[in-house]
Amino acid sequence: MLQKTPASPPVSDLAIPHAEGVSNDDFRAAMSRLAAGVVLVTAHDPDDGPRGEDVGMTATAFVSVSLDPPLVLVSLRNGSRMDDLLTEVPVWAVSILGEDQRHIAGRFAMKNRVSDRLLFADLPYDRGEESGAPLMGGALATLECRTESRVVAGDHTLVVGRVLTVAAGAADGGPLTYYQGKYRRLS
């Protein structure tokens, strides 16, 4: 007699365990050996207070995806303020930080902060024409983007943005990089 195999649940319903021998710490240690550029992702939350509030976060998981059309991708921690905000606000900005902007990266990488308002207070920035988001003065380049798609991937959401504006900065220095858990300069 043939036995019927029960239908498997959809892949999205299955908890996929780590491969044997791959712990969070092992994975983090291996990936820390991949140098990454550092960017500041910003957006303007028009619903926070009478004039809204600017929000920013440091990211190292940022890449160019396509030239035609111009697309970029940023990875956001699920449930983070930026992840929540970009589900509601379709336009955002990116400032590619230079090696002399380590203080900006550190400031916006702080966890459990109550408000971003004070973080922007003494920093030079212009407001993007398309996004209304802060574009850091002295950045190597700035981009304004409109979200094209969002893909949940583990504990992060990958946000693909169409580049609406781009400007190369006048900075002469190199990029700020992140390697083995520290901000670095290229030498």
Side-chain angles (χ1 to χ4, degrees):
M1 181 162 151
L2 274 176
Q3 284 188 333
K4 232 180 176 178
T5 306
S8 298
V11 172
S12 61
D13 292 346
L14 293 176
I16 301 173
H18 286 303
E20 189 173 322
V22 178
S23 70
N24 289 352
D25 290 340
D26 291 342
F27 181 66
R28 186 177 291 113
M31 295 312 297
S32 76
R33 285 157 174 81
L34 176 64
V38 182
V39 302
L40 181 67
V41 179
T42 57
H44 183 74
D45 183 355
D47 298 329
D48 191 348
R51 288 182 284 179
E53 183 176 18
D54 295 322
V55 177
M57 66 159 262
T58 302
T60 56
F62 175 79
V63 295
S64 168
V65 173
S66 169
L67 185 60
D68 188 16
L71 299 173
V72 294
L73 178 145
V74 65
S75 180
L76 308 174
R77 185 177 34 81
N78 292 342
S80 67
R81 183 160 186 210
M82 188 63 72
D83 181 38
D84 292 343
L85 181 57
L86 293 190
T87 61
E88 299 173 21
V89 176
V91 288
W92 40 282
V94 175
S95 297
I96 300 174
L97 300 179
E99 60 191 6
D100 60 341
Q101 295 179 306
R102 178 185 304 213
H103 64 289
I104 295 172
R107 181 182 292 195
F108 286 92
M110 291 187 303
K111 294 186 185 335
N112 302 320
R113 57 187 190 261
V114 176
S115 170
D116 286 6
R117 194 174 315 276
L118 294 176
L119 299 180
F120 285 101
D122 62 344
L123 295 176
Y125 66 86
D126 293 316
R127 199 163 288 287
E129 290 182 26
E130 295 289 331
S131 65
L135 302 169
M136 288 296 109
L140 297 179
T142 58
L143 303 91
E144 290 182 278
C145 306
R146 172 172 283 113
T147 299
E148 289 272 312
S149 62
R150 298 172 55 87
V151 177
V152 175
D155 59 1
H156 279 64
T157 298
L158 308 177
V159 179
V160 176
R162 181 180 294 252
V163 178
L164 305 174
T165 68
V166 64
D172 292 332
L176 181 61
T177 58
Y178 194 72
Y179 179 71
Q180 290 192 320
K182 297 179 182 174
Y183 296 115
R184 312 276 182 146
R185 294 175 182 252
L186 291 181
S187 44

